[in-house]
Amino acid sequence: MSSSGPCVARCAAVSAAILFSLLAGQFVAAQTPLGAGEPAWLAYRPVNAAAVFPGGVPDTIVKLGNDVLEDSAARELALGWRGMLRHEPRFVNNADAGQGRAVVMGTQAEIDAWRPPVTHEKHLTQDAYRLYRVSDVVVVEGGDARGVLYGAFALLRLIAEQHSLRVLDETSAPWALVRWTNEWDNPNGTIERGYAGPSIFFEEGRVRADLSRAAAYARLLSSVGIDGCTINNVNAAIDLLKPENVRDIARIADVFRPYGVRLSLSVDMSSPQVIGGLKTFDPLNAEVAAWWNSKIDAIYAAIPDFGGVVIKADSEGRVGPSQYGRSPADAANVVARALKPHGGVVLYRGFVYNNHLDWHDMKADRARAGYDNFHALDGKFDDNVIVQIKHGPIDFQVREPVSPLFAGLPNTNEAIELQITQEYTGQQRHLVYLVPMWKESLNTDMRASAAATPLPVKEIVSGRAVATQHHTAGGFVGVANVGTDGWLGSPLALSNLYGFGRLAWEPNLGAAAISDEWTRLSFGNDPEVRATINKLELDSWHIYESYTGPLGVGTLTDIIGIHFGPGVESAERNGWGQWIRADHDGVGMDRTVATGTGYIGQYPAPLAAEYESLATCPDNLLLFMHHVPYTYRLHSGLTVMQYIDNTHYWGAQAAAAQVPAWEALQGKVSDSTYAEVLKRLKFQAGHAIVWRDAVTEWFTKMSGIPDALGRVGHYPGRIEAESMHLDGYETVDVTPWETASGGKAVICDLPECAVQTTWEKPDGWYDVTVQYFDLLHGHSRFSLSVAGNEVERWIAGDTLPSDKLNGSTSTRITLDNVAIHRGDILRVTGRPDGAELAPIDYLSIVPSAVHSTVIRNAAR
Ligand code: GCV
């Protein structure tokens, strides 16, 4: 650290600056108004100020620099002081005022100039920060202006967690240079695999007029150290590169800039031809290269801090260099060379595969594609190209091994792509905290180091040169797909956005520590709230995995369309290659070198040996790596078939137990958050039963092996709608059969229909469930009556993601403590709406778990 002259002289240099306190008011006035859910973890709830600052809250905030990022840092501290400490700080940028109780913030150079150095040996790197005390002064020092902003957020985090700042000494630097989100937004305002409403960036083919949400999003991203955001779908709309659109997109970059978030774009390789009017988009053609140069120059003229581009090519219908016999390296490099003079990067996606594989070819394997397509190109990419690799070799399944490509490119920059939006993990209607899953990938030791030193994926993507790696950059990309509905729709899903940022900054943080940080920032420091939410979050991945994708099978969801409900066979007999190869004898993909697709051989030898052998392959990846009989015994001692049955029953039970756990927090979290989370957890509990029944029934039928515990196919209290007296309703087959109880449901093609049955069992208190289908479109009306008295009426008004009767639309209502007498008639009436024909699957009537004094049908 260097020092310069005495404070008086240095202060003169800053004295020309305007009194910052005057600006502070303006900053806050200009603060974007935030709607419900939007502040997320930046709500700045009151804390015990005396616990944080035992010697008194600093009343002066000194901002030494004038960078826009330091302005944001100051604005943020003001918000935090007011919200958390109930204190109105005085702002100055006169360094002399940094006496007494104050916070002084500035870059390393500004701090050096402010006062003789406190001995800090280590130079702060790009984006890094250091927080420390000099007697009563709290110093927020950044390696650069962005580091100052990150430091301010870090200080606010400590305050929100109510840590005592009597002693403070924290230095932190980002793990990797690239920490971006990708947003799969389309210009028409829709978002591919987005589950939280429309785009915050686009509407009706244009950039939104009101970008206040985009600004608020940049603030959130910045608070966890994310420094880049790709605003459009990797299935890129080609028109976005037209000059008028680039001008409009620059407005988004303008609102990102104060938070240090660099905007980037997904581009389509055919752009030179389609919008440039060239005869070709061959990346080795000189005119094509010139087109990219001038296009990129034009983008930088509009957006000087443009981050770079993301490219999806030769994948899922996108054109690419293969059309001209060129390689991904040729394609990436032509764009990279245009970006290079400006400091931009290309993130070239490793997600290149053939989705027309031959199911009959036992050697065909989609999992091989990344390595097969890229390994031979190692060392051929320019140094501002980063290959962006999904964490697993398939596609964000609930359990996958880490992609072997991470070890296959020792001379190429690599970034890991993680999916924050829950495409295959319950679409934010199921609670799945993904950080533990991501950490498993990041911590997987590829055993690729010649020196036998561990080489976990997190090291590979750090961009630091290590043993066998020669990387100049690397990073983390999170597919977030936030929308206007509380960013991710589900309040608890925000932990994934938060967690992604924190891991990208420091992957050695623990999943539990990140969950706890997020919980404290979002819900406060109440120990009961923390314990409950942390437990829900930390248990959630295994719960979801247990009823949707056992033993590394990948997923058993409907893979052809929306990836939400069960649809076991949809994986098979098509070109998509998400096969599970289940037949009457066994299940799983044989990916061994000895007899299978050879995929396992793509891993470095020690890891390959572990996966190749049944003796050492972990149970949780068994069906990913091997095809085994249903009678095969796992390391746990259970057979595969019994494990499938047990885990689905356990999972459904665990999902149900989340509901009362959350209910204990009523009154301890805001009413709206309480209600929203409760609604989702209840849905999940019901949907877990749909999953459980579908998967266990399907495998029982396929294997012919009954559940040793007699549960599958035997559902106490269940009455199939089709077996009841039908008043206008007609019976239909449901496809796939396993997604409806008994494979059938009833639908009503009249203005009103009913199903009814007479209760033949003893008088008592019962919990009554009606399992019905709620399609994306239509608001059917239902009512349940017992002995002529209406117990409940409801509308099928959810927006479950399909217009078919299947495992994505099957849902339920449960009414607790209904008094039913022998001989009572139970009747469900349905009134269709449009094409939604008030479909019913079954009723379930079981003795009440809790006898309440509140009698629902007390009117009787
Ligand atoms: C944006 C999966 C998703 C697609 C997505 C693709 C990708 O296949 O289902 O919606 O396309 O991944 O990552 O490019």
Side-chain angles (χ1 to χ4, degrees), residues 184 192-193 195 233-236 312 315-316 318 349 351 353 366 388 390 394-397 417 419 423-424 479 481 559 561-563 576 578:
W184 291 350
E192 184 158 346
R193 314 300 180 188
Y195 309 107
N233 194 348
V234 288
N235 294 325
K312 173 177 180 179
S315 173
E316 298 185 335
R318 310 304 297 180
R349 296 181 90 226
F351 188 63
Y353 74 101
R366 170 168 163 185
Q388 177 173 323
K390 289 191 182 187
I394 298 281
D395 193 7
F396 304 131
Q397 313 296 279
E417 182 177 322
Q419 200 183 40
E423 175 182 354
Y424 283 98
V479 180
N481 296 359
I559 67 112
I562 47 183
H563 306 167
W576 289 98
Q578 287 179 241

Coordinates of all heavy atoms in Angstrom, one line a residue, residues 184 192-193 195 233-236 312 315-316 318 349 351 353 366 388 390 394-397 417 419 423-424 479 481 559 561-563 576 578, ligand 1:
W184 N -33.2 -16.0 -20.2 CA -33.7 -16.6 -21.5 C -35.0 -15.8 -22.0 O -36.0 -16.4 -22.3 CB -34.0 -18.1 -21.4 CG -32.7 -18.9 -21.2 CD1 -31.4 -18.5 -21.4 CD2 -32.7 -20.3 -20.9 NE1 -30.6 -19.5 -21.1 CE2 -31.3 -20.7 -20.9 CE3 -33.6 -21.3 -20.6 CZ2 -30.9 -22.0 -20.6 CZ3 -33.2 -22.6 -20.3 CH2 -31.9 -22.9 -20.3
E192 N -38.3 -18.2 -21.9 CA -38.2 -19.7 -22.0 C -37.8 -20.2 -20.7 O -36.8 -19.8 -20.1 CB -37.2 -20.0 -23.1 CG -37.1 -21.5 -23.4 CD -36.5 -21.9 -24.7 OE1 -36.4 -21.0 -25.6 OE2 -36.2 -23.1 -24.9
R193 N -38.5 -21.2 -20.2 CA -38.3 -21.8 -18.9 C -38.3 -20.7 -17.8 O -37.5 -20.8 -16.8 CB -37.0 -22.6 -18.9 CG -36.8 -23.5 -20.0 CD -37.8 -24.5 -20.2 NE -37.5 -25.4 -21.4 CZ -38.4 -26.3 -21.8 NH1 -39.5 -26.5 -21.3 NH2 -38.1 -27.0 -22.9
Y195 N -40.5 -19.0 -14.8 CA -41.7 -19.4 -14.0 C -42.2 -18.3 -13.1 O -42.7 -18.5 -12.0 CB -41.4 -20.7 -13.2 CG -40.8 -21.7 -14.1 CD1 -39.5 -22.1 -14.1 CD2 -41.6 -22.3 -15.1 CE1 -38.9 -23.0 -15.0 CE2 -41.1 -23.2 -16.0 CZ -39.8 -23.6 -15.9 OH -39.2 -24.5 -16.8
N233 N -32.6 -14.6 -24.5 CA -32.5 -16.1 -24.7 C -31.3 -16.5 -25.5 O -31.0 -15.9 -26.6 CB -33.9 -16.5 -25.4 CG -34.2 -17.9 -25.3 OD1 -33.3 -18.7 -25.0 ND2 -35.4 -18.3 -25.7
V234 N -30.7 -17.6 -25.1 CA -29.7 -18.2 -25.9 C -30.2 -18.7 -27.2 O -29.5 -18.8 -28.2 CB -29.0 -19.4 -25.2 CG1 -28.1 -18.8 -24.1 CG2 -29.9 -20.4 -24.6
N235 N -31.5 -19.0 -27.3 CA -32.2 -19.2 -28.6 C -32.5 -17.8 -29.1 O -33.6 -17.3 -28.9 CB -33.5 -20.0 -28.4 CG -33.1 -21.5 -28.0 OD1 -32.1 -22.0 -28.4 ND2 -34.0 -22.0 -27.1
A236 N -31.5 -17.2 -29.6 CA -31.5 -15.7 -29.8 C -32.3 -15.2 -30.9 O -32.3 -15.7 -32.0 CB -30.0 -15.2 -30.0
K312 N -25.1 -20.0 -28.6 CA -25.6 -21.3 -28.7 C -25.7 -21.7 -30.2 O -26.4 -21.0 -30.9 CB -27.0 -21.4 -28.1 CG -27.7 -22.8 -28.2 CD -29.1 -22.8 -27.5 CE -29.7 -24.2 -27.7 NZ -31.0 -24.2 -27.0
S315 N -27.2 -26.7 -32.0 CA -27.8 -27.3 -30.9 C -29.3 -27.0 -30.9 O -29.7 -25.8 -31.1 CB -27.2 -26.7 -29.6 OG -27.9 -27.2 -28.4
E316 N -30.1 -28.0 -30.7 CA -31.6 -27.9 -30.6 C -32.1 -27.0 -31.7 O -32.9 -26.1 -31.4 CB -31.9 -27.4 -29.2 CG -31.5 -28.3 -28.1 CD -32.0 -27.9 -26.7 OE1 -32.2 -26.7 -26.5 OE2 -32.1 -28.8 -25.9
R318 N -30.6 -24.7 -33.6 CA -29.9 -23.5 -33.9 C -28.9 -23.8 -34.9 O -28.2 -24.9 -34.8 CB -29.2 -22.9 -32.7 CG -30.0 -22.7 -31.4 CD -31.2 -21.9 -31.6 NE -30.9 -20.5 -32.0 CZ -31.9 -19.6 -32.2 NH1 -33.2 -20.0 -32.0 NH2 -31.6 -18.4 -32.5
R349 N -21.3 -21.9 -25.7 CA -21.9 -23.0 -24.9 C -21.5 -24.3 -25.4 O -21.5 -24.7 -26.6 CB -23.4 -22.8 -25.0 CG -23.9 -21.6 -24.3 CD -25.4 -21.5 -24.3 NE -26.0 -22.1 -23.2 CZ -27.1 -22.9 -23.2 NH1 -27.6 -23.2 -24.4 NH2 -27.6 -23.3 -22.1
F351 N -23.1 -26.9 -24.8 CA -24.3 -27.6 -25.0 C -24.6 -27.9 -26.4 O -25.5 -27.3 -27.0 CB -25.4 -26.8 -24.3 CG -26.8 -27.5 -24.1 CD1 -26.9 -28.7 -23.4 CD2 -27.9 -27.0 -24.7 CE1 -28.1 -29.3 -23.2 CE2 -29.1 -27.6 -24.6 CZ -29.2 -28.7 -23.8
Y353 N -25.3 -30.8 -29.1 CA -25.6 -32.2 -29.2 C -26.7 -32.5 -30.3 O -27.3 -31.5 -30.7 CB -26.1 -32.8 -27.8 CG -27.5 -32.4 -27.5 CD1 -28.6 -33.2 -27.6 CD2 -27.8 -31.1 -27.0 CE1 -29.9 -32.8 -27.3 CE2 -29.1 -30.7 -26.7 CZ -30.2 -31.6 -26.8 OH -31.4 -31.2 -26.5
R366 N -26.3 -39.2 -25.6 CA -26.3 -37.8 -25.6 C -25.2 -37.3 -24.6 O -24.6 -36.2 -24.8 CB -27.7 -37.2 -25.2 CG -27.7 -35.8 -24.9 CD -29.1 -35.3 -24.9 NE -29.2 -34.0 -24.2 CZ -30.3 -33.4 -23.9 NH1 -31.5 -33.9 -24.3 NH2 -30.4 -32.2 -23.3
Q388 N -18.7 -22.4 -22.0 CA -19.7 -22.4 -21.0 C -20.3 -23.8 -20.9 O -21.0 -24.2 -21.8 CB -20.7 -21.4 -21.3 CG -21.9 -21.3 -20.3 CD -22.7 -20.0 -20.6 OE1 -22.3 -19.0 -21.0 NE2 -24.0 -20.2 -20.4
K390 N -22.6 -26.8 -19.0 CA -23.6 -27.1 -18.0 C -23.0 -28.1 -17.0 O -22.2 -28.9 -17.4 CB -24.8 -27.8 -18.7 CG -25.7 -26.8 -19.5 CD -27.0 -27.4 -19.9 CE -27.7 -26.4 -20.8 NZ -29.1 -26.8 -21.1
I394 N -26.0 -33.9 -19.3 CA -27.3 -33.9 -20.0 C -28.0 -32.5 -20.0 O -27.8 -31.8 -20.9 CB -28.3 -35.0 -19.4 CG1 -27.6 -36.4 -19.6 CG2 -29.6 -35.0 -20.0 CD1 -27.8 -37.0 -20.9
D395 N -28.7 -32.2 -18.9 CA -29.4 -31.0 -19.0 C -30.1 -30.6 -17.6 O -31.3 -30.7 -17.5 CB -30.5 -31.1 -20.1 CG -31.1 -29.7 -20.4 OD1 -30.6 -28.7 -19.9 OD2 -32.1 -29.7 -21.2
F396 N -29.3 -30.3 -16.6 CA -29.9 -29.7 -15.4 C -30.9 -30.7 -14.7 O -31.9 -30.3 -14.2 CB -30.6 -28.4 -15.6 CG -29.8 -27.3 -16.2 CD1 -30.3 -26.6 -17.3 CD2 -28.6 -27.0 -15.7 CE1 -29.5 -25.6 -17.9 CE2 -27.8 -26.0 -16.3 CZ -28.3 -25.3 -17.4
Q397 N -30.6 -32.0 -14.8 CA -31.5 -33.0 -14.1 C -31.2 -32.9 -12.6 O -30.2 -32.4 -12.2 CB -31.2 -34.4 -14.6 CG -31.1 -34.5 -16.2 CD -32.4 -34.2 -16.9 OE1 -33.2 -35.0 -17.0 NE2 -32.5 -33.0 -17.4
E417 N -22.0 -23.7 -16.1 CA -23.4 -23.1 -16.2 C -24.3 -23.9 -15.2 O -24.4 -25.1 -15.3 CB -23.9 -23.3 -17.6 CG -25.3 -22.7 -17.9 CD -25.7 -22.8 -19.3 OE1 -24.9 -22.7 -20.3 OE2 -26.9 -23.1 -19.5
Q419 N -28.3 -23.8 -13.3 CA -29.6 -23.3 -13.6 C -30.4 -22.9 -12.3 O -30.7 -23.8 -11.5 CB -30.4 -24.4 -14.4 CG -31.6 -23.8 -15.2 CD -32.5 -24.8 -15.9 OE1 -32.7 -25.9 -15.3 NE2 -32.9 -24.5 -17.1
E423 N -36.2 -25.5 -14.0 CA -36.8 -26.1 -15.2 C -37.2 -27.6 -14.9 O -38.3 -28.0 -15.1 CB -35.9 -26.0 -16.4 CG -36.4 -26.8 -17.6 CD -35.5 -26.8 -18.8 OE1 -34.5 -26.1 -18.7 OE2 -35.8 -27.5 -19.7
Y424 N -36.2 -28.4 -14.4 CA -36.4 -29.8 -14.2 C -36.6 -30.1 -12.7 O -36.6 -31.2 -12.3 CB -35.2 -30.6 -14.7 CG -35.2 -30.8 -16.2 CD1 -34.4 -30.0 -17.0 CD2 -35.9 -31.8 -16.8 CE1 -34.3 -30.2 -18.3 CE2 -35.8 -32.0 -18.2 CZ -35.0 -31.2 -18.9 OH -34.9 -31.4 -20.3
V479 N -28.4 -19.5 -15.0 CA -29.6 -19.2 -15.8 C -30.7 -18.9 -14.9 O -31.3 -19.7 -14.2 CB -30.0 -20.4 -16.7 CG1 -31.2 -20.1 -17.5 CG2 -28.8 -20.9 -17.6
N481 N -33.6 -16.4 -15.3 CA -34.9 -16.2 -15.9 C -35.9 -15.6 -14.9 O -37.1 -16.0 -14.8 CB -35.5 -17.6 -16.3 CG -34.7 -18.2 -17.5 OD1 -33.7 -17.5 -17.9 ND2 -35.0 -19.3 -17.9
I559 N -40.3 -35.3 -20.6 CA -39.1 -34.6 -21.1 C -39.4 -34.0 -22.5 O -38.7 -33.1 -23.0 CB -37.9 -35.5 -21.2 CG1 -38.0 -36.6 -22.3 CG2 -37.4 -36.0 -19.9 CD1 -37.1 -36.4 -23.4
G561 N -42.0 -32.1 -23.4 CA -42.6 -30.7 -23.4 C -42.2 -29.8 -22.2 O -41.1 -29.2 -22.3
I562 N -42.9 -29.9 -21.1 CA -42.8 -28.8 -20.2 C -41.9 -29.2 -19.0 O -41.6 -28.4 -18.1 CB -44.1 -28.4 -19.7 CG1 -45.0 -29.6 -19.3 CG2 -44.8 -27.5 -20.7 CD1 -46.4 -29.3 -18.9
H563 N -41.5 -30.5 -18.9 CA -40.6 -30.9 -17.8 C -41.0 -30.6 -16.4 O -40.3 -30.2 -15.5 CB -39.2 -30.1 -18.0 CG -38.6 -30.2 -19.4 ND1 -37.6 -29.5 -19.8 CD2 -39.0 -31.1 -20.4 CE1 -37.3 -29.8 -21.1 NE2 -38.1 -30.8 -21.4
W576 N -34.2 -37.6 -28.3 CA -33.6 -36.6 -27.4 C -32.5 -37.2 -26.5 O -31.8 -36.4 -25.9 CB -34.8 -36.0 -26.5 CG -35.6 -35.1 -27.3 CD1 -36.8 -35.4 -27.9 CD2 -35.4 -33.7 -27.6 NE1 -37.3 -34.3 -28.5 CE2 -36.5 -33.3 -28.4 CE3 -34.3 -32.9 -27.4 CZ2 -36.5 -32.0 -28.9 CZ3 -34.4 -31.6 -27.9 CH2 -35.5 -31.1 -28.6
Q578 N -32.6 -38.7 -23.6 CA -32.6 -38.7 -22.1 C -33.1 -40.0 -21.6 O -33.8 -40.1 -20.7 CB -33.5 -37.5 -21.7 CG -32.8 -36.2 -21.8 CD -33.5 -35.0 -21.4 OE1 -33.8 -34.1 -22.2 NE2 -33.9 -34.9 -20.2
Ligands
GCV1 C1 -32.9 -22.2 -24.1 C2 -32.9 -27.2 -22.4 C3 -34.1 -26.4 -22.3 C4 -34.3 -25.4 -23.4 C5 -33.0 -24.5 -23.4 C6 -31.8 -25.5 -23.6 C7 -30.5 -24.7 -23.6 O1 -33.0 -28.1 -23.5 O2 -35.2 -27.2 -22.2 O3 -35.4 -24.6 -23.2 O4 -33.1 -23.6 -24.4 O5 -31.8 -26.4 -22.6 O6 -29.9 -24.7 -22.5 O7 -30.1 -24.1 -24.6

